[in-house]
Amino acid sequence: MDHTTIGIIGMGLMGKMVHACDQRDKFETLTEEFSDYNNVSIYEDGYGVSRSSDYIIYSVEAETIDKVVAEFGRATKKHAIVGGQTSCKAPEIAAFERHLPQDVEIISCHSLHGPNVDPQGQPLALIRHRASQQSFDLVRHILSSFKSKQVHLTAEAHDRITADTQAVTHAAFLSMGTAWRANNQFPWETNRYVGGIENVKCNITLRIYSNKWHVYAGLAILNPSAKQQIRQYAESVTELFKLMLGGHKAELERRVKTAGEAVFTAAGRRGEPLLLSDEVLDRFSLGKVPKERTPNNHLSLLAMVDCWWKLGIIPYDHMICSTPLFRLWLGVTEYLFRKPTLLQDVVNVAIADNTFRSDDLEFTFAARGWSECVSFGDFSSYRDRFEGIQSYFAPRFPEATRVGNEMIKVILEKT
């Protein structure tokens, strides 16, 4: 165990942990960057890493996993252990089965958090697909250095849970960013999006757009369960917005409360403490909190719970495998739906107040647009949409990351 050589193919933000490589044109830069590390050897490509390593991790985009494994998999050292850390395991496992020699064992992993989050205490999924107990114990020992909470799953269970906890969450915030850009808004600079629940919306949206596009594209497009869920979210947004436009208060109220009962009361949350408090929600703001707040109908939150209800998802069932962003999003939806007076106010505002109508219109367009993009399976289109909005918000990323890290630290202490 002390002499196990670890190989990393792909040195992106999640792959710098050691025999390692990245794209060939990065060889000299990486060699210089790691020149002071005696236990890290940089190779020109994956052949050298595969030939010399006992445990090899493919840290590449889900979109390219098959191509990369096809190129380097046949060079894998005899009896080595191979895994990947993509967010979608179906194409990853398929690539390993298709291109790796039969004497190679397969144990994959997935750190359920972003590259800028401390891994200590965060969920780390381990997928023992084809391996002995001895090899599995070795991988568990190696990855224990992260001090994460190891969760053992099948590839199928992993993809279902990540779709339940991440796909729709990402779609909601991608849609918010799209809508704000369409309205030429930096939301934290207006009183309408500062304080309370609005702080979480702004911080998480900027946090998502500050990352690489492929982190979200792979999960959304390649995960078998994700397309259906993202489509349902877009349908929930559209249907609820139509009820608001039509002034159908009784139907809107009935639908919202039915969804809330199914997701929160049926989950046994009545009487349980809220994940987020007013003090926590107000603490993390990118702008100055006004004395009087503009009422919001919170279409994005109403649609999220409606979507969970329609899909039969109880979000608390997956807390052990949930990301920090999902726990924050669940916290604010719970905060709204478990406060009857606040929820009633939101329904009243949705019917009688037009302040957010233009925002809601763009948000509805955005949710449908992202759903269509995912359904087409077009990575290029996804990237163009994502990076266009990313460049719009880029100047505020450093501050949003700092505030977001503090917010995540608080929510983790409570969950």
Side-chain angles (χ1 to χ4, degrees):
M1 188 176 291
D2 292 339
H3 301 289
T4 300
T5 301
I6 301 172
I8 306 291
I9 297 178
M11 290 285 282
L13 291 175
M14 295 297 286
K16 292 185 179 178
M17 304 188 177
V18 250
H19 289 185
C21 72
D22 204 308
Q23 298 176 32
R24 288 182 175 88
D25 60 3
K26 298 180 181 179
F27 174 65
E28 292 183 2
T29 302
L30 288 171
T31 299
E32 182 178 350
E33 181 179 350
F34 288 91
S35 60
D36 295 332
Y37 293 81
N38 295 328
N39 60 338
V40 176
S41 300
I42 302 298
Y43 286 75
E44 188 170 356
D45 55 39
Y47 291 112
V49 174
S50 296
R51 293 280 292 171
S52 61
S53 304
D54 302 300
Y55 173 38
I56 302 153
I57 301 175
Y58 282 80
S59 184
V60 300
E61 302 165 19
E63 178 190 9
T64 62
I65 185 72
D66 187 79
K67 177 182 177 182
V68 176
V69 178
E71 184 173 2
F72 303 125
R74 64 181 182 274
T76 305
K77 185 178 180 180
K78 192 173 183 180
H79 302 307
I81 305 166
V82 173
Q85 58 172 350
T86 66
S87 59
C88 184
K89 294 305 176 187
E92 178 183 296
I93 295 298
F96 290 155
E97 289 183 335
R98 188 178 298 119
H99 302 300
L100 294 178
Q102 285 299 309
D103 58 43
V104 171
E105 298 183 278
I106 301 171
I107 304 173
S108 272
C109 64
H110 179 205
S111 295
L112 292 164
H113 57 84
N116 296 315
V117 176
D118 184 349
Q120 184 169 347
Q122 297 298 325
L124 171 62
L126 296 180
I127 293 102
R128 179 184 174 184
H129 182 71
R130 188 176 78 196
S132 66
Q133 185 62 48
Q134 181 180 6
S135 295
F136 189 54
D137 290 341
L138 173 61
V139 171
R140 290 178 59 199
H141 173 74
I142 291 170
L143 298 181
S144 67
S145 60
F146 295 143
K147 299 181 180 179
S148 299
K149 292 186 296 185
Q150 296 186 2
V151 183
H152 304 164
L153 299 169
T154 63
E156 293 79 9
H158 168 275
D159 284 355
R160 186 180 66 254
I161 291 171
T162 52
D164 288 354
T165 58
Q166 295 185 50
V168 180
T169 305
H170 297 161
F173 291 107
L174 290 173
S175 300
M176 285 183 217
T178 304
W180 288 330
R181 186 204 182 196
N183 281 331
N184 198 26
Q185 290 177 335
F186 291 104
W188 53 87
E189 294 179 354
T190 70
N191 289 343
R192 289 191 296 170
Y193 288 105
V194 177
I197 291 173
E198 311 299 347
N199 288 343
V200 175
K201 291 181 182 177
C202 291
N203 278 302
I204 299 184
T205 298
L206 290 185
R207 191 177 188 88
I208 285 176
Y209 276 108
S210 70
N211 286 322
K212 298 290 186 180
W213 67 274
H214 65 77
V215 173
Y216 309 105
L219 169 62
I221 293 174
L222 298 177
N223 189 312
S225 301
K227 290 182 180 179
Q228 174 196 2
Q229 298 188 10
I230 294 171
R231 185 185 309 114
Q232 179 57 58
Y233 184 69
E235 290 175 0
S236 292
V237 170
T238 302
E239 290 168 10
L240 292 176
F241 184 54
K242 286 180 178 179
L243 291 177
M244 295 177 187
L245 284 178
H248 304 298
K249 182 178 180 180
E251 187 176 351
L252 176 65
E253 184 173 348
R254 182 170 57 252
R255 180 163 175 169
V256 165
K257 292 186 176 180
T258 299
E261 284 288 319
V263 172
F264 297 105
T265 304
R269 295 301 294 180
R270 183 173 289 164
E272 292 288 321
L274 294 172
L275 296 175
L276 293 174
S277 65
D278 292 292
E279 184 272 331
V280 170
L281 287 170
D282 280 339
R283 191 192 313 175
F284 305 103
S285 178
L286 292 173
K288 186 177 180 180
V289 179
K291 292 181 180 180
E292 293 187 11
R293 309 210 178 148
T294 305
N296 191 336
N297 61 51
H298 295 299
L299 175 59
S300 61
L301 293 172
L302 299 182
M304 180 59 64
V305 176
D306 188 84
C307 176
W308 285 334
W309 167 50
K310 292 288 187 179
L311 294 170
I313 294 172
I314 303 298
Y316 300 98
D317 291 347
H318 302 319
M319 288 297 281
I320 189 62
C321 293
S322 61
T323 64
L325 297 188
F326 175 75
R327 275 168 271 179
L328 276 169
W329 192 225
L330 175 58
V332 293
T333 56
E334 178 192 70
Y335 178 89
L336 172 59
F337 274 81
R338 289 183 57 205
K339 290 194 168 189
T341 302
L342 177 59
L343 186 60
Q344 187 62 54
D345 288 344
V346 164
V347 172
N348 294 340
V349 168
I351 298 298
D353 192 329
N354 291 326
T355 304
F356 283 88
R357 282 292 187 262
S358 63
D359 298 59
D360 291 338
L361 177 63
E362 292 294 350
F363 180 75
T364 303
F365 288 158
R368 293 164 68 100
W370 280 109
S371 177
E372 290 173 359
C373 181
V374 168
S375 67
F376 294 150
D378 186 351
F379 280 92
S380 178
S381 176
Y382 193 105
R383 181 175 186 173
D384 288 344
R385 289 172 63 89
F386 187 97
E387 291 185 339
I389 300 159
Q390 184 181 58
S391 63
Y392 179 78
F393 290 114
R396 295 302 291 266
F397 286 160
E399 183 182 0
T401 299
R402 178 187 60 78
V403 174
N405 285 341
E406 295 172 2
M407 184 183 292
I408 285 172
K409 183 179 179 181
V410 170
I411 190 67
L412 293 180
E413 291 171 354
K414 295 180 175 293
T415 59

